[in-house]
Amino acid sequence: MKKCNAVFEGGGVRGIGHVGAVCRMEQGGWQFADLAGSSAGAIVAALLAAGYTGNELKKELETIDYMRFKGMDLPDHLGLIGKSISLLFSLGIYNTDYLESWLNGLLSRKGIHSFSDVERLGRKLNITASDLTEKRLLIFPEDLEVFTDEPKEFPISLAVRMSVSIPVFFEPVRLKDKYGRKHLIVDGGLLSNYPLWLFDGSRNTCPTFGFQFTDGDGPCHCPICKARPNLVDYLKAIISTSLDAIDRHSLSAEDYERTICIPAVAGTEENRRKISAVDFGIGREDSQALFRNGWDAADRFLRDRIFGKYPF
């Protein structure tokens, strides 16, 4: 077995693409050491750190109903007016109660609750979030010191909940620091959706590989490309674009050489569309397409290295 660190970009419902790539890497003889991720990438990183294999994650995500991640309070059942009320009073349309509970259940199966539990397995886990109150990027567990005297005992499921809280779509997590001040914490992708640099100069000598989504090539027939997109498509495009654009301008040629680029597209050439981070209505066919995209991207990455394009 060859060991590597892994950093997973945020991608919302596209996380199954990461799992496809993970399965191919594991088949190729790679074992994950330290792990990190933002948003949906934090979910994949946390579960791998807990001891799940790629195939186990595939089985879990194949059966998940992503619409359940859109936790609805009473006003949300009242259409656009109700959602506006939620946004006004809760600063987000949906809650992430179910997501936190679902993730906590999966971690518990492996006997994992906190960051210290992961460290006992000989791994390090980093999760990013964005602190709107302090206007800064948070790297968990280190930056939890301001909130608790025992940052490594902090629940991983709550840390991930903060990391996946896409602004507008999800309510921010309100967290009090040790001085009683409330912080609004949202999606880590707002400030760093692809923190590939996290393990540079780390304690181990493993190479660090990144897993990132791309738009793919060819024409796109996604809703925002219509002549007259509706308001929902417009809001989805704003959020997806802001999350996808973060970090890309700062990546070097060396960074791209250690990045597995996963196309976030599905469909035939005549019906090709980009799957956005907030396409919660994603169907089984699109989910399977993303898994294949991840598998194929990792396969190309490994073949390029085997034939000497990039050194290990």
Side-chain angles (χ1 to χ4, degrees), residues 9 32 61 106 134 141 176 196 213 217 235 287:
E9 182 187 41
F32 297 105
L61 294 185
L106 290 180
E134 293 291 339
K176 281 187 179 181
L196 185 59
F213 292 103
D217 301 316
L235 287 174
S287 183

Side-chain angles (χ1 to χ4, degrees), residues 196-213:
L196 185 59
W197 43 269
L198 269 174
F199 297 130
D200 291 347
S202 70
R203 63 195 175 102
N204 64 43
T205 57
C206 300
T208 295
F209 298 148
F211 298 73
Q212 186 181 43
F213 292 103

Side-chain angles (χ1 to χ4, degrees), residues 4 30 33 40 42 106 113 118 159 165 193 213 246 261 264 300:
C4 66
W30 286 92
L106 290 180
H113 174 70
V118 168
S165 296
N193 204 34
F213 292 103
I246 297 297
C261 298
R300 287 191 299 271

